[in-house]
Amino acid sequence: MSKQQQKELKKSVTPFAQPNIKASIIQIINSILPFFLIWFLAYQSIAVSLWLTIPLTIAAALFAVRIFIIFHDCAHDSFFENKKTNRIVGTITGIITHFAFAKWKKTHAMHHATSGNLDRRGTGDIWMMTVDEYTAASTWKKIKYRLYRNPFVMFGLGPFFLFLLDNRFNENTAKKSEKRNTYLINGSIAAIYTLLIWIIGWQAFLIVQLPILYVSGALGIWLFYVQHQFEDSYFENEEEWNFVKAAVDGSSYYKLPKMIQWLSGNIGFHHVHHLSPRVPNYNLEKTHEQVTPLQQATTITLGSSLQSIRFRLYDEDNKRFVNFREMKYLLKQEKHQYN
Protein backbone atom coordinates (compact mmCIF):
# COMPACT_ATOMS: atom_id res chain seq x y z
CA MET A 1 0.00 0.00 0.00
CA SER A 2 1.53 3.32 -1.12
CA LYS A 3 1.65 6.40 1.12
CA GLN A 4 -1.06 8.01 -0.99
CA GLN A 5 -3.30 4.97 -0.57
CA GLN A 6 -2.67 5.01 3.17
CA LYS A 7 -3.57 8.68 3.31
CA GLU A 8 -6.78 8.03 1.37
CA LEU A 9 -7.66 5.11 3.61
CA LYS A 10 -7.32 7.22 6.76
CA LYS A 11 -9.41 9.95 5.14
CA SER A 12 -12.12 7.47 4.10
CA VAL A 13 -12.91 6.54 7.71
CA THR A 14 -13.21 10.15 8.90
CA PRO A 15 -16.99 10.41 8.25
CA PHE A 16 -17.56 7.52 10.67
CA ALA A 17 -15.54 9.14 13.47
CA GLN A 18 -18.51 11.12 14.71
CA PRO A 19 -20.31 10.33 17.98
CA ASN A 20 -24.08 10.06 17.83
CA ILE A 21 -25.60 11.26 21.10
CA LYS A 22 -28.74 9.16 20.63
CA ALA A 23 -26.76 5.97 19.88
CA SER A 24 -24.48 6.61 22.86
CA ILE A 25 -27.36 7.10 25.31
CA ILE A 26 -29.16 4.00 23.98
CA GLN A 27 -25.99 1.98 24.47
CA ILE A 28 -25.62 3.21 28.04
CA ILE A 29 -29.22 2.18 28.75
CA ASN A 30 -29.03 -1.25 27.10
CA SER A 31 -25.69 -2.04 28.73
CA ILE A 32 -25.72 -0.67 32.28
CA LEU A 33 -29.38 -1.30 33.20
CA PRO A 34 -29.29 -5.01 32.19
CA PHE A 35 -26.03 -5.41 34.13
CA PHE A 36 -27.57 -4.19 37.39
CA LEU A 37 -30.79 -6.13 36.78
CA ILE A 38 -28.91 -9.39 36.18
CA TRP A 39 -26.69 -8.70 39.22
CA PHE A 40 -29.82 -8.37 41.37
CA LEU A 41 -31.36 -11.53 39.87
CA ALA A 42 -28.12 -13.42 40.53
CA TYR A 43 -28.31 -12.39 44.18
CA GLN A 44 -31.96 -13.42 44.40
CA SER A 45 -31.19 -16.78 42.78
CA ILE A 46 -28.84 -17.79 45.60
CA ALA A 47 -31.89 -18.69 47.71
CA VAL A 48 -33.11 -20.95 44.88
CA SER A 49 -29.98 -22.68 43.56
CA LEU A 50 -26.34 -21.84 42.91
CA TRP A 51 -26.74 -23.62 39.58
CA LEU A 52 -29.02 -20.76 38.62
CA THR A 53 -26.66 -18.16 40.05
CA ILE A 54 -23.69 -19.26 37.97
CA PRO A 55 -25.21 -18.61 34.50
CA LEU A 56 -26.61 -15.30 35.73
CA THR A 57 -23.17 -14.14 36.92
CA ILE A 58 -21.71 -15.14 33.54
CA ALA A 59 -24.44 -13.11 31.81
CA ALA A 60 -23.64 -10.13 34.05
CA ALA A 61 -19.95 -10.52 33.21
CA LEU A 62 -20.74 -10.34 29.49
CA PHE A 63 -22.58 -7.07 30.04
CA ALA A 64 -19.60 -5.86 32.09
CA VAL A 65 -17.47 -6.39 28.98
CA ARG A 66 -19.94 -4.29 26.99
CA ILE A 67 -19.78 -1.57 29.64
CA PHE A 68 -15.99 -1.68 29.40
CA ILE A 69 -16.27 -0.87 25.69
CA ILE A 70 -18.17 2.31 26.64
CA PHE A 71 -15.36 3.06 29.10
CA HIS A 72 -12.87 2.36 26.32
CA ASP A 73 -14.59 4.73 23.88
CA CYS A 74 -14.72 7.46 26.52
CA ALA A 75 -10.95 7.06 26.97
CA HIS A 76 -10.58 7.82 23.25
CA ASP A 77 -13.01 10.77 23.53
CA SER A 78 -15.09 9.02 20.87
CA PHE A 79 -18.29 8.25 22.78
CA PHE A 80 -19.39 11.87 23.16
CA GLU A 81 -18.23 15.04 21.45
CA ASN A 82 -17.63 16.78 24.78
CA LYS A 83 -14.40 15.74 26.54
CA LYS A 84 -15.81 16.46 29.99
CA THR A 85 -18.79 14.20 29.33
CA ASN A 86 -16.43 11.45 28.17
CA ARG A 87 -14.41 11.87 31.37
CA ILE A 88 -17.50 11.72 33.61
CA VAL A 89 -19.05 8.69 31.88
CA GLY A 90 -15.62 7.08 31.64
CA THR A 91 -15.12 7.48 35.38
CA ILE A 92 -18.58 6.05 36.18
CA THR A 93 -18.06 3.07 33.89
CA GLY A 94 -14.56 2.76 35.38
CA ILE A 95 -16.17 2.31 38.80
CA ILE A 96 -18.47 -0.40 37.42
CA THR A 97 -15.69 -2.22 35.57
CA HIS A 98 -13.01 -1.48 38.23
CA PHE A 99 -10.64 0.25 35.80
CA ALA A 100 -8.83 3.51 36.61
CA PHE A 101 -10.02 5.83 33.84
CA ALA A 102 -7.30 8.51 33.66
CA LYS A 103 -4.49 5.98 34.11
CA TRP A 104 -5.88 3.61 31.49
CA LYS A 105 -6.55 6.49 29.07
CA LYS A 106 -2.84 7.38 29.17
CA THR A 107 -1.42 3.86 28.84
CA HIS A 108 -3.93 2.87 26.17
CA ALA A 109 -3.04 5.92 24.08
CA MET A 110 0.57 4.73 24.24
CA HIS A 111 -0.54 1.27 23.10
CA HIS A 112 -2.17 2.80 20.02
CA ALA A 113 0.88 4.92 19.26
CA THR A 114 3.29 1.96 19.47
CA SER A 115 1.27 -1.12 18.47
CA GLY A 116 3.39 -3.39 16.27
CA ASN A 117 6.54 -1.33 16.96
CA LEU A 118 9.22 -3.70 18.26
CA ASP A 119 11.38 -0.84 19.58
CA ARG A 120 8.67 1.06 21.48
CA ARG A 121 6.40 -1.66 22.85
CA GLY A 122 5.91 -2.20 26.56
CA THR A 123 3.25 0.28 27.70
CA GLY A 124 -0.36 -0.87 27.67
CA ASP A 125 0.58 -4.07 25.84
CA ILE A 126 0.62 -7.79 26.46
CA TRP A 127 4.24 -8.58 27.35
CA MET A 128 5.88 -10.11 24.28
CA MET A 129 9.56 -10.96 23.85
CA THR A 130 11.37 -11.79 20.64
CA VAL A 131 13.44 -14.97 20.32
CA ASP A 132 16.67 -12.95 20.55
CA GLU A 133 15.49 -11.04 23.61
CA TYR A 134 14.49 -14.23 25.38
CA THR A 135 17.76 -16.04 24.69
CA ALA A 136 19.71 -13.02 25.98
CA ALA A 137 17.56 -12.63 29.11
CA SER A 138 18.58 -13.65 32.62
CA THR A 139 17.26 -16.89 34.10
CA TRP A 140 14.94 -15.00 36.46
CA LYS A 141 13.49 -12.93 33.61
CA LYS A 142 12.91 -16.08 31.56
CA ILE A 143 11.05 -17.66 34.48
CA LYS A 144 8.87 -14.55 34.90
CA TYR A 145 8.14 -14.45 31.19
CA ARG A 146 7.25 -18.14 31.02
CA LEU A 147 4.87 -17.69 33.93
CA TYR A 148 3.34 -14.58 32.40
CA ARG A 149 2.72 -16.27 29.03
CA ASN A 150 1.31 -19.42 30.62
CA PRO A 151 -2.45 -19.46 29.80
CA PHE A 152 -3.33 -20.58 33.33
CA VAL A 153 -1.52 -17.54 34.74
CA MET A 154 -2.57 -15.03 32.06
CA PHE A 155 -6.25 -15.94 32.05
CA GLY A 156 -6.47 -17.53 35.50
CA LEU A 157 -4.61 -15.07 37.74
CA GLY A 158 -4.52 -12.17 35.29
CA PRO A 159 -8.02 -10.83 36.06
CA PHE A 160 -7.31 -10.65 39.80
CA PHE A 161 -3.97 -8.93 39.16
CA LEU A 162 -5.76 -6.33 37.03
CA PHE A 163 -8.56 -5.60 39.48
CA LEU A 164 -6.67 -5.87 42.79
CA LEU A 165 -3.31 -4.36 41.88
CA ASP A 166 -2.72 -2.90 38.43
CA ASN A 167 -5.86 -0.74 38.31
CA ARG A 168 -5.64 0.36 41.92
CA PHE A 169 -2.28 2.15 41.86
CA ASN A 170 -0.55 4.83 39.80
CA GLU A 171 3.10 5.26 38.98
CA ASN A 172 4.98 7.77 41.13
CA THR A 173 5.50 9.95 38.05
CA ALA A 174 1.75 10.15 37.32
CA LYS A 175 0.10 13.59 37.28
CA LYS A 176 -1.97 14.65 40.27
CA SER A 177 -5.15 14.66 38.18
CA GLU A 178 -4.54 11.02 37.19
CA LYS A 179 -3.94 10.02 40.82
CA ARG A 180 -7.06 11.88 41.99
CA ASN A 181 -9.14 10.02 39.40
CA THR A 182 -7.80 6.68 40.63
CA TYR A 183 -8.47 7.65 44.27
CA LEU A 184 -12.04 8.63 43.33
CA ILE A 185 -12.67 5.32 41.58
CA ASN A 186 -11.02 3.28 44.36
CA GLY A 187 -12.98 5.12 47.04
CA SER A 188 -16.26 4.69 45.16
CA ILE A 189 -15.66 0.94 44.74
CA ALA A 190 -14.83 0.60 48.44
CA ALA A 191 -17.97 2.51 49.44
CA ILE A 192 -20.21 0.44 47.13
CA TYR A 193 -18.67 -2.81 48.37
CA THR A 194 -19.17 -1.77 51.99
CA LEU A 195 -22.80 -0.84 51.39
CA LEU A 196 -23.62 -4.06 49.51
CA ILE A 197 -21.92 -6.24 52.11
CA TRP A 198 -23.87 -4.45 54.84
CA ILE A 199 -27.16 -5.02 52.97
CA ILE A 200 -26.77 -8.60 51.65
CA GLY A 201 -23.84 -10.02 53.63
CA TRP A 202 -20.30 -10.78 52.53
CA GLN A 203 -21.00 -14.38 51.47
CA ALA A 204 -23.77 -13.48 49.03
CA PHE A 205 -21.76 -10.53 47.78
CA LEU A 206 -18.71 -12.66 46.99
CA ILE A 207 -20.81 -15.42 45.38
CA VAL A 208 -22.13 -12.88 42.87
CA GLN A 209 -19.30 -10.39 42.45
CA LEU A 210 -16.24 -12.65 42.26
CA PRO A 211 -17.42 -14.67 39.22
CA ILE A 212 -18.40 -11.45 37.45
CA LEU A 213 -14.96 -9.94 38.02
CA TYR A 214 -13.14 -13.09 37.00
CA VAL A 215 -15.13 -13.92 33.86
CA SER A 216 -15.25 -10.34 32.57
CA GLY A 217 -11.53 -9.90 33.29
CA ALA A 218 -10.55 -13.15 31.56
CA LEU A 219 -12.67 -12.29 28.52
CA GLY A 220 -11.18 -8.80 28.36
CA ILE A 221 -7.62 -10.14 28.50
CA TRP A 222 -8.46 -12.68 25.80
CA LEU A 223 -9.91 -10.07 23.45
CA PHE A 224 -6.91 -7.79 23.94
CA TYR A 225 -4.48 -10.67 23.51
CA VAL A 226 -5.93 -12.37 20.46
CA GLN A 227 -6.48 -9.24 18.41
CA HIS A 228 -2.78 -8.45 18.16
CA GLN A 229 -1.18 -11.87 18.51
CA PHE A 230 -2.29 -13.95 15.57
CA GLU A 231 -0.64 -15.65 12.59
CA ASP A 232 0.83 -13.09 10.13
CA SER A 233 0.43 -10.18 12.54
CA TYR A 234 2.50 -7.05 11.91
CA PHE A 235 5.65 -6.20 13.86
CA GLU A 236 8.49 -4.01 12.65
CA ASN A 237 11.39 -2.03 14.09
CA GLU A 238 11.10 1.73 14.50
CA GLU A 239 12.70 2.68 11.18
CA GLU A 240 10.30 0.51 9.17
CA TRP A 241 7.21 0.75 11.36
CA ASN A 242 4.13 2.26 9.75
CA PHE A 243 1.00 3.34 11.63
CA VAL A 244 -1.52 2.37 8.94
CA LYS A 245 0.08 -1.02 8.33
CA ALA A 246 0.23 -1.64 12.09
CA ALA A 247 -3.49 -0.86 12.30
CA VAL A 248 -4.73 -2.86 9.32
CA ASP A 249 -2.19 -5.72 9.32
CA GLY A 250 -1.36 -5.81 13.03
CA SER A 251 -4.93 -5.79 14.33
CA SER A 252 -7.32 -8.57 13.44
CA TYR A 253 -10.93 -8.64 12.32
CA TYR A 254 -12.31 -11.02 14.94
CA LYS A 255 -15.41 -12.38 13.23
CA LEU A 256 -17.72 -13.31 16.08
CA PRO A 257 -21.30 -14.60 16.27
CA LYS A 258 -23.69 -11.63 16.24
CA MET A 259 -24.71 -11.89 19.89
CA ILE A 260 -21.09 -12.08 21.07
CA GLN A 261 -20.21 -9.24 18.70
CA TRP A 262 -22.95 -7.12 20.31
CA LEU A 263 -21.92 -7.99 23.86
CA SER A 264 -18.28 -7.20 23.06
CA GLY A 265 -19.21 -3.82 21.63
CA ASN A 266 -17.99 -4.60 18.08
CA ILE A 267 -14.39 -4.58 19.30
CA GLY A 268 -13.77 -7.49 16.93
CA PHE A 269 -13.42 -4.85 14.21
CA HIS A 270 -10.11 -4.04 15.83
CA HIS A 271 -8.37 -3.08 12.61
CA VAL A 272 -10.91 -0.28 12.12
CA HIS A 273 -10.48 0.85 15.71
CA HIS A 274 -6.69 1.05 15.44
CA LEU A 275 -6.83 2.91 12.15
CA SER A 276 -9.17 5.49 13.69
CA PRO A 277 -9.69 5.32 17.48
CA ARG A 278 -12.19 8.18 17.21
CA VAL A 279 -14.74 5.91 15.50
CA PRO A 280 -17.28 5.00 18.24
CA ASN A 281 -17.86 1.28 18.71
CA TYR A 282 -21.36 1.40 17.19
CA ASN A 283 -19.86 2.67 13.91
CA LEU A 284 -17.06 0.10 13.60
CA GLU A 285 -19.01 -2.52 11.65
CA LYS A 286 -20.45 0.10 9.31
CA THR A 287 -16.95 1.43 8.62
CA HIS A 288 -15.63 -2.06 7.87
CA GLU A 289 -18.48 -2.77 5.46
CA GLN A 290 -18.34 0.54 3.58
CA VAL A 291 -14.56 1.05 3.33
CA THR A 292 -13.51 -1.78 1.00
CA PRO A 293 -9.73 -1.91 1.74
CA LEU A 294 -10.49 -2.63 5.41
CA GLN A 295 -12.09 -5.92 4.40
CA GLN A 296 -8.61 -7.20 3.49
CA ALA A 297 -7.58 -7.31 7.15
CA THR A 298 -6.71 -10.71 8.61
CA THR A 299 -9.93 -12.43 9.66
CA ILE A 300 -9.91 -14.79 12.62
CA THR A 301 -12.82 -16.75 14.07
CA LEU A 302 -13.55 -18.25 17.47
CA GLY A 303 -12.07 -21.51 16.22
CA SER A 304 -8.95 -20.18 14.50
CA SER A 305 -8.20 -17.74 17.33
CA LEU A 306 -7.56 -20.62 19.72
CA GLN A 307 -4.23 -21.38 18.05
CA SER A 308 -2.84 -18.14 19.46
CA ILE A 309 -2.85 -19.73 22.92
CA ARG A 310 0.35 -21.58 21.99
CA PHE A 311 2.19 -18.40 20.91
CA ARG A 312 5.07 -17.50 23.23
CA LEU A 313 7.75 -15.55 21.35
CA TYR A 314 8.06 -13.50 18.18
CA ASP A 315 10.62 -14.67 15.65
CA GLU A 316 11.87 -11.50 13.93
CA ASP A 317 13.77 -13.36 11.22
CA ASN A 318 10.77 -15.33 10.00
CA LYS A 319 8.16 -12.78 11.14
CA ARG A 320 5.95 -15.22 12.99
CA PHE A 321 5.08 -16.41 16.47
CA VAL A 322 6.68 -19.54 17.88
CA ASN A 323 6.37 -21.58 21.05
CA PHE A 324 9.32 -22.50 23.26
CA ARG A 325 9.83 -25.88 21.57
CA GLU A 326 9.96 -24.24 18.15
CA MET A 327 12.40 -21.67 19.51
CA LYS A 328 14.79 -24.44 20.60
CA TYR A 329 14.56 -25.99 17.15
CA LEU A 330 15.33 -22.66 15.49
CA LEU A 331 18.36 -22.13 17.70
CA LYS A 332 19.64 -25.63 16.95
CA GLN A 333 19.24 -25.01 13.22
CA GLU A 334 21.04 -21.70 13.53
CA LYS A 335 23.88 -23.31 15.50
CA HIS A 336 24.15 -26.09 12.95
CA GLN A 337 24.45 -23.59 10.09
CA TYR A 338 27.32 -21.76 11.78
CA ASN A 339 29.13 -25.02 12.48
Side-chain angles (χ1 to χ4, degrees), residues 38-57 200-211:
I38 297 170
W39 203 107
F40 176 72
L41 291 175
Y43 162 63
Q44 291 290 324
S45 71
I46 295 174
V48 180
S49 171
L50 288 179
W51 292 109
L52 181 58
T53 307
I54 292 171
L56 284 170
T57 58
I200 68 175
W202 66 270
Q203 296 98 330
F205 175 76
L206 291 180
I207 288 172
V208 175
Q209 185 65 7
L210 277 182

Side-chain angles (χ1 to χ4, degrees), residues 63-324:
F63 275 94
V65 172
R66 184 167 167 81
I67 295 170
F68 176 81
I69 299 302
I70 295 174
F71 165 92
H72 169 263
D73 277 10
C74 288
H76 284 295
D77 289 322
S78 65
F79 203 64
F80 296 103
E81 291 186 3
N82 184 276
K83 286 189 175 183
K84 185 177 180 180
T85 306
N86 280 306
R87 186 170 67 251
I88 292 170
V89 175
T91 299
I92 293 171
T93 50
I95 294 169
I96 296 171
T97 59
H98 294 27
F99 272 79
F101 177 73
K103 175 187 177 181
W104 198 83
K105 178 182 173 74
K106 179 184 71 177
T107 58
H108 192 62
M110 182 63 73
H111 160 68
H112 272 262
T114 61
S115 180
N117 189 322
L118 289 170
D119 295 321
R120 295 182 62 198
R121 69 193 190 280
T123 302
D125 294 327
I126 295 288
W127 187 15
M128 183 198 77
M129 294 181 75
T130 65
V131 171
D132 290 341
E133 288 170 343
Y134 181 81
T135 54
S138 65
T139 301
W140 175 235
K141 190 171 185 179
K142 287 178 180 177
I143 292 172
K144 287 195 296 182
Y145 184 74
R146 279 180 175 266
L147 287 172
Y148 178 94
R149 298 291 296 203
N150 186 295
F152 294 103
V153 175
M154 183 176 290
F155 304 110
L157 300 179
F160 297 112
F161 171 77
L162 276 178
F163 295 132
L164 298 177
L165 295 173
D166 191 58
N167 287 324
R168 306 282 68 83
F169 301 97
N170 297 95
E171 295 180 351
N172 292 330
T173 56
K175 293 181 180 179
K176 289 183 178 179
S177 58
E178 179 186 322
K179 290 181 178 180
R180 283 196 298 268
N181 182 260
T182 301
Y183 298 152
L184 172 62
I185 290 173
N186 289 348
S188 299
I189 293 171
I192 293 168
Y193 273 33
T194 300
L195 180 62
L196 286 172
I197 290 171
W198 179 66
I199 295 173
I200 68 175
W202 66 270
Q203 296 98 330
F205 175 76
L206 291 180
I207 288 172
V208 175
Q209 185 65 7
L210 277 182
I212 292 174
L213 285 179
Y214 171 72
V215 174
S216 62
L219 289 174
I221 293 171
W222 170 253
L223 286 169
F224 194 77
Y225 172 84
V226 76
Q227 297 199 293
H228 291 289
Q229 309 211 13
F230 54 91
E231 205 70 58
D232 299 323
S233 186
Y234 174 94
F235 290 96
E236 292 289 352
N237 293 109
E238 173 71 22
E239 61 271 14
E240 295 183 15
W241 181 83
N242 179 280
F243 176 83
V244 175
K245 286 185 178 180
V248 179
D249 297 333
S251 304
S252 65
Y253 163 35
Y254 200 4
K255 192 172 183 178
L256 298 167
K258 283 296 181 181
M259 180 54 71
I260 299 178
Q261 177 186 319
W262 185 84
L263 286 166
S264 60
N266 298 308
I267 201 61
F269 297 94
H270 214 59
H271 57 304
V272 182
H273 171 63
H274 264 262
L275 181 63
S276 180
R278 295 303 295 272
V279 176
N281 74 83
Y282 44 75
N283 282 346
L284 291 175
E285 182 176 15
K286 189 189 304 180
T287 310
H288 171 83
E289 290 177 345
Q290 295 187 23
V291 181
T292 305
L294 291 175
Q295 296 166 17
Q296 299 173 9
T298 300
T299 301
I300 58 175
T301 63
L302 279 175
S304 65
S305 67
L306 294 177
Q307 68 176 323
S308 67
I309 295 175
R310 65 181 179 84
F311 295 157
R312 297 292 185 272
L313 300 160
Y314 187 71
D315 177 12
E316 286 188 74
D317 294 331
N318 297 296
K319 296 188 180 301
R320 66 186 183 96
F321 285 101
V322 296
N323 56 37
F324 291 118

Side-chain angles (χ1 to χ4, degrees), residues 20-36:
N20 181 305
I21 185 68
K22 182 180 177 180
S24 295
I25 290 174
I26 289 174
Q27 189 167 48
I28 288 174
I29 293 170
N30 66 26
S31 302
I32 295 179
L33 291 185
F35 171 78
F36 286 123

